[in-house]
Amino acid sequence: MLIVHKYGGSSVAHASRIKQVAARVWQARREGNDVVVVVSAMGDTTDDLIALAGQVTAEPGKREMDQLLSTGEQVSIALLTMALQALGADAVSLTGRQAGIATDGVYGKAAITGIDTGRLRDELAAGRIAVVAGFQGLAPNGDVTTLGRGGSDTTAVALAIALRADRCEIFTDVEGVYTADPRVVPEAKKLPLISYDEMLELASLGAVVLHPRSVELAKLHGLPLVVRSSFNNKPGTFVRGDSGMERTHLVSGVAHDLNVAKVGLFDVLDQPGIAHRLFAALAAEQVNVDMIIQGATRNGQNDIAFTVKRDDLKRALAAVEAIKEAVGAKGYTYDDHVGKVSIVGAGMVTRPGVAAAMFEALAAEGINIEMISTSEIKVSCIVKEAEVPRAVRALHRRFGLDALGK
Ligand code: ADP
Ligand code: ASP
Ligand code: MG
């Protein structure tokens, strides 16, 4: 069998953890498998490097940021390979470039455009364990790029697909995918199984346990994923296609996201083309807009509010400042102390009253809802940042997830 393992930052945080990972990888190799290992930077290295750049300049260039951040993973691959060699394993470390990972040229959130597996196949054929740096690739102009925070999961899934691996296992610091972030909800339960669609929603709505693009890719190619602990041998969570069975639970999970900011414009002209001008200006600044609310018209004017990632707020405000007169806005405000709580479940499509139950649970906690958005399998609300943990716990209780498996 050809298997891909991926180990996140906390799983390789110290030398002793790296040795434990090496032992697990070596075990898989000795069982007769071909093994490719993808690793993240050690512990909080990526955060520390970002902070370091901030001490040098308030506006670090994107190219140099990628040059800097990609070093974190390079440290891990070398150390893990040394640890494997110390155990007697034949192993080789490869950067993204050496592993043939090609990306587009979008620094900081590059997409993988192809993988030339020649080198990797040669190393595997020679009996070596290949240890590949996650989160990085090579742009057409020869520059190093990174895939966005949490992107090592996507490296692992893309490699598994390109190599037609039999298995892709994501090892992390929790035992699988839970009904909510176990750091916020101590009662959260591990799910033995979750569908691609539900996992994609959870990940996109803030559950950082998997990078959303890794789930998207796995779904597209029908690659089953396993999320499990790097600290023990428990079975973890399978992420795969739907079982086709009827749903017993309306809501499978609750997600939250604090990387959110809200922007509102007042008294915008109520005319064709105004929304287009505003959102085209934001797009031109590479700002992704998430929720949008347009208020009821009064006297030929209305209010428009939207949310963006907090990381993008500065650029969003610059775009709004530049466009505000052209759209006739009398003014604007923003709030970067908000967060998003969401309930996700494929079972809610066909059942009325789920959104109402969510609003009731939040109201009972005295939590004010600032914005709402829905899709077939999720409902999201913007609330004050400080109220997010309480909101998540209340929703987890309300939809019977505390009692799951009891
Ligand atoms: P890694 O460094 O292994 O990539 P991450 O920190 O990126 O690990 O992801 C694991 C973390 O995801 C967990 O420690 C947990 O706090 C968080 N998390 C958020 N939502 C969930 C969820 N629904 N199930 C499991 N973990 C979750
Ligand atoms: N080291 C990168 C990050 O912290 C990538 C990853 O861990 O997946 O975001
Ligand atoms: Mg991660």
Side-chain angles (χ1 to χ4, degrees), residues 336-406:
D336 55 359
H337 290 286
V338 293
K340 181 162 69 172
V341 289
S342 309
I343 53 172
V344 172
M348 69 173 70
V349 190
T350 52
R351 301 279 282 274
V354 180
M358 178 180 192
F359 306 151
E360 181 199 33
L362 294 176
E365 289 287 320
I367 295 172
N368 188 44
I369 301 170
E370 301 189 11
M371 289 170 99
I372 298 167
S373 95
T374 65
S375 81
E376 284 192 330
I377 68 166
K378 70 117 204 258
V379 186
S380 299
C381 296
I382 298 291
V383 302
K384 294 230 168 321
E385 176 176 7
E387 293 176 335
V388 165
R390 205 152 47 86
V392 173
R393 286 191 286 268
L395 295 172
H396 198 267
R397 245 188 340 267
R398 174 66 180 80
F399 289 100
L401 299 172
D402 279 10
L404 210 66
K406 275 189 187 155

Side-chain angles (χ1 to χ4, degrees), residues 6-9 39-47 69 72-73 134-135 148-154 211:
K6 180 261 169 179
Y7 295 89
V39 273
S40 295
M42 294 170 69
D44 297 329
T45 300
T46 308
D47 290 327
L69 298 190
E73 272 68 15
F135 176 58
R149 297 307 305 271
S152 295
D153 299 328
T154 298
H211 193 233

Side-chain angles (χ1 to χ4, degrees), residues 70-304:
S70 63
T71 62
E73 272 68 15
Q74 199 163 332
V75 171
S76 313
I77 54 170
L79 291 173
L80 177 58
T81 304
M82 290 174 197
L84 280 163
Q85 289 167 346
L87 293 174
D90 197 0
V92 62
S93 66
L94 299 170
T95 61
R97 167 191 208 136
Q98 290 169 327
I101 300 173
T103 70
D104 61 21
V106 186
Y107 302 116
K109 43 181 162 183
I112 297 177
T113 50
I115 302 181
D116 176 352
T117 55
R119 171 80 186 266
L120 271 171
R121 292 216 178 268
D122 289 349
E123 299 294 355
L124 294 173
R128 283 185 204 110
I129 297 168
V131 182
V132 180
F135 176 58
Q136 57 177 257
L138 185 70
N141 69 355
D143 281 354
V144 63
T145 50
T146 66
L147 310 182
R149 297 307 305 271
S152 295
D153 299 328
T154 298
T155 304
V157 170
L159 282 175
I161 291 164
L163 292 165
R164 298 184 205 290
D166 298 285
R167 247 189 11 238
C168 182
E169 296 183 299
I170 310 285
F171 291 89
T172 184
D173 59 0
V174 284
E175 290 180 5
V177 178
Y178 284 66
T179 49
D181 187 339
R183 288 184 209 210
V184 176
V185 185
E187 297 80 13
K189 299 287 182 311
K190 182 171 79 180
L191 297 162
L193 180 74
I194 186 167
S195 69
Y196 292 125
D197 289 333
E198 288 172 299
M199 189 64 236
L200 189 54
E201 285 287 356
L202 283 177
S204 307
L205 294 168
V208 296
V209 63
L210 283 176
H211 193 233
R213 272 164 40 216
S214 70
V215 185
E216 217 175 306
L217 262 185
K219 180 186 172 190
L220 192 65
H221 296 268
L223 174 78
L225 294 179
V226 180
V227 180
R228 49 187 295 206
S229 168
S230 65
F231 297 82
N232 63 42
N233 276 320
K234 296 195 181 158
T237 300
F238 274 90
V239 186
R240 59 175 206 215
D242 216 339
S243 66
M245 293 293 186
E246 290 256 32
R247 299 275 160 171
T248 46
H249 275 276
L250 278 179
V251 171
S252 312
V254 182
H256 70 280
D257 190 353
L258 299 182
N259 186 6
V260 181
K262 191 176 88 169
V263 180
L265 285 83
F266 324 119
D267 296 340
V268 176
L269 291 173
D270 187 33
Q271 284 172 4
I274 291 294
H276 166 244
R277 281 168 100 162
L278 172 61
F279 292 104
L282 290 161
E285 285 288 326
Q286 301 281 330
V287 174
N288 264 328
V289 175
D290 181 18
M291 295 187 191
I292 301 174
I293 288 186
Q294 179 164 320
T297 307
R298 42 179 200 329
N299 310 324
Q301 294 174 325
N302 57 38
D303 298 338
I304 296 183

